[in-house]
Amino acid sequence: MDRIRLVGGNQLNGEIPISGAKNAALPLMIASLLTEEPLVLVNVPRLADVKQVERILENHGVDIAVHGRRRGDDDMGGQRITFTASDIVDTTAPYELVSTMRASFWVIGPLLAREGHAKVSLPGGCAIGTRPVDFYLDGLRALGAEIDIDGGYVVARAPGGRLKGTTVTFPKTSVGATHVVMMAATLADGTTIIENAAREPEVVDLANCLVAMGAKISGIGTERLVIEGVDKLGGAIHEVLPDRIETGTYAFAAAMTGGEVFLRNARPDLLQAPLDVLARSGVDVTPKEGGITIARNGNGILPVDIETDPFPGFPTDLQAQFMALMTRSQGVSTIKETIFENRFMHVAELARFGAKIAVDGQVATVTGVPELKGAQVMATDLRASVSLVIAGLAAKGETVVNRIYHLDRGFERLEDKLSRCGAEIERIPG
């Protein structure tokens, strides 16, 4: 497996372009199953997870055309891809395709809504908690689906070939379940109301794309979505929103190392809570035309307490990166993880740098240290892996991050973006 080697101590100065959001691109790609007409997505990031969803869609019969660069395009700009599902040739999503990534399970919603039946393997993905699919399946059952579990597969059928509009109330906010039920409801017979819907920007992005395809959705961005089912959806052209998790990651990296970095294409409205936390830690955060500037020149890092929450709260996907930053704070900070029960696996790896972190249940107490020292570390999941890069950027000496396939799932050309800003970082082929 590839590794990443860093030598810490350099400030970051320059500009980092923010890619399209992985967590928005994946459901948008899956939404192409809802229509026989072409769906064109702009600003799609080049990531392992994107390639995996492409494989899954191709298995269902989706034609995928990746457009080439145009004159004047940024060499780090996103892809333009056309997805055409004119004929669904297979409604089974097999284990070998679904087991590596949780989001691939979401195909069950569009397949069931359009074809009236689907057989999808139970999902895999990062080992950051149980994350059951009960909410997904309960939502589809509420829409009239008959569902059985057989040999590790979810076998779903819509009696009469079409789902029925209803009210779906999630007992707990779930981004994935909101994606699945919303997509399924667009082609259901009648009106569906989703109560306690997720409000994350990626959910909003999917809803806006579905509306462009002809869906009738109101309440977008609120906890109550109203979806009037239509007989069919059409094609559309839609631009994937910028990645708020990548934005926050590079913002924390700049805060950790010092210097000044302009995060091009970043949108402050997508991650106001993390930006507010950065400002409280003593970092200058300046929204500008076309992006955000992050600067820390000479001043120390102040300790800040956080608690992860669904949007618009502090995102769980930035918890590990924030913890890395707090290892160098001038005091003690607490981090409470409320979303996933097993998301402190990076603590042991950060300790290898000399970090002082104590975990009690879902609360981590971080005591800042004057210096981190480079180490051999192992990535445990997507977001944890990049927290080790952040620590390595500020650590004294050499750091090697092993098992970085997790990084490739969610961060496009990370070492290129950081090296352009002065980091001493390179990929070592396996």
Side-chain angles (χ1 to χ4, degrees):
M1 297 181 186
D2 288 1
R3 297 173 291 162
I4 280 184
R5 173 186 172 273
L6 309 97
V7 177
N10 294 350
Q11 287 191 348
L12 294 181
N13 288 286
E15 179 176 294
I16 295 178
I18 299 302
S19 300
K22 181 199 81 142
N23 289 346
L26 302 185
L28 290 167
M29 294 165 66
I30 290 169
S32 67
L33 292 167
L34 290 165
T35 178
E36 62 186 26
E37 297 182 17
L39 173 62
V40 181
L41 297 180
V42 182
N43 197 34
V44 180
R46 295 170 177 83
L47 299 169
D49 278 8
V50 168
K51 295 301 295 183
Q52 183 65 5
V53 170
E54 288 180 5
R55 294 185 193 100
I56 292 166
L57 294 177
E58 287 170 338
N59 180 68
H60 294 307
V62 181
D63 292 325
I64 300 174
V66 180
H67 301 249
R69 283 179 61 192
R70 298 293 185 264
R71 191 179 301 278
D73 283 356
D74 187 333
D75 67 338
M76 286 196 181
Q79 305 172 92
R80 182 184 181 96
I81 307 179
T82 298
F83 302 85
T84 308
S86 55
D87 183 24
I88 304 295
V89 299
D90 193 342
T91 57
T92 296
Y95 171 80
E96 58 268 23
L97 290 177
V98 178
S99 60
T100 60
M101 185 179 57
R102 186 171 189 79
S104 52
F105 183 77
W106 299 345
V107 299
I108 193 171
L111 290 174
L112 185 58
R114 181 173 167 187
E115 296 297 308
H117 55 92
K119 182 179 179 181
V120 181
S121 172
L122 288 167
C126 287
I128 54 173
T130 55
R131 299 197 291 175
V133 295
D134 298 11
F135 295 174
Y136 303 47
L137 303 186
D138 289 345
L140 294 175
R141 286 192 183 99
L143 291 171
E146 297 176 350
I147 295 176
D148 295 304
I149 308 295
D150 184 13
Y153 282 77
V154 176
V155 182
R157 185 176 70 88
R162 192 174 185 189
L163 297 170
K164 306 293 184 183
T166 186
T167 297
V168 176
T169 302
F170 293 128
K172 182 179 178 181
T173 301
S174 167
V175 171
T178 303
H179 283 322
V180 168
V181 174
M182 179 168 60
M183 285 191 282
T186 60
L187 295 179
D189 180 19
T191 299
T192 298
I193 299 171
I194 301 178
E195 301 281 7
N196 200 23
R199 294 185 288 161
E200 271 69 6
E202 297 79 15
V203 173
V204 172
D205 206 32
L206 175 61
N208 288 334
C209 179
L210 293 171
V211 169
M213 295 165 66
K216 297 180 179 179
I217 306 174
S218 59
I220 295 173
T222 74
E223 296 177 349
R224 187 175 191 268
L225 294 172
V226 180
I227 304 148
E228 296 179 46
V230 297
D231 292 333
K232 64 185 302 185
L233 295 177
I237 299 174
H238 181 83
E239 182 171 351
V240 181
L241 87 173
D243 196 321
R244 64 193 174 103
I245 304 305
E246 186 188 36
T247 300
T249 297
Y250 288 125
F252 288 135
M256 185 71 152
T257 63
E260 181 173 317
V261 175
F262 179 65
L263 304 175
R264 179 159 52 85
N265 302 325
R267 281 176 43 186
D269 60 302
L270 302 182
L271 72 161
Q272 196 57 58
L275 294 179
D276 289 344
V277 166
L278 263 183
R280 285 160 52 200
S281 72
V283 177
D284 293 329
V285 178
T286 310
K288 294 182 179 179
E289 181 71 25
I292 306 169
T293 295
I294 306 295
R296 184 177 71 84
N297 295 310
N299 55 315
I301 300 168
L302 302 177
V304 182
D305 299 336
I306 67 157
E307 180 175 320
T308 62
D309 271 313
F311 188 85
F314 192 99
T316 181
D317 279 353
L318 284 174
Q319 178 256 105
Q321 298 90 310
F322 175 73
M323 184 181 290
L325 176 66
M326 287 296 100
T327 64
R328 291 295 315 282
S329 75
Q330 300 171 333
V332 178
S333 57
T334 59
I335 298 171
K336 184 176 182 180
E337 173 59 58
T338 70
I339 309 298
F340 296 125
E341 73 277 12
N342 193 25
R343 209 166 198 178
F344 283 149
M345 290 188 294
H346 47 280
V347 169
E349 297 302 307
L350 288 172
R352 294 176 65 84
F353 293 96
K356 294 183 178 180
I357 307 169
V359 175
D360 182 8
Q362 296 299 99
V363 178
T365 301
V366 185
T367 302
V369 295
E371 180 181 80
L372 298 176
K373 294 182 179 180
Q376 286 265 355
V377 291
M378 185 78 71
T380 55
D381 64 64
L382 196 165
R383 307 306 177 184
S385 60
V386 81
S387 74
L388 307 179
V389 172
I390 290 173
L393 289 171
K396 182 179 181 180
E398 179 180 282
T399 292
V400 177
V401 183
N402 296 282
R403 214 163 64 177
I404 63 163
Y405 66 87
H406 288 294
L407 275 174
D408 294 333
R409 290 185 50 221
F411 292 93
E412 182 177 5
R413 297 177 63 180
L414 175 132
E415 61 271 26
D416 293 337
K417 292 183 178 183
L418 288 172
S419 63
R420 287 188 180 189
C421 292
E424 188 172 339
I425 179 172
E426 64 177 341
R427 178 179 293 252
I428 302 173

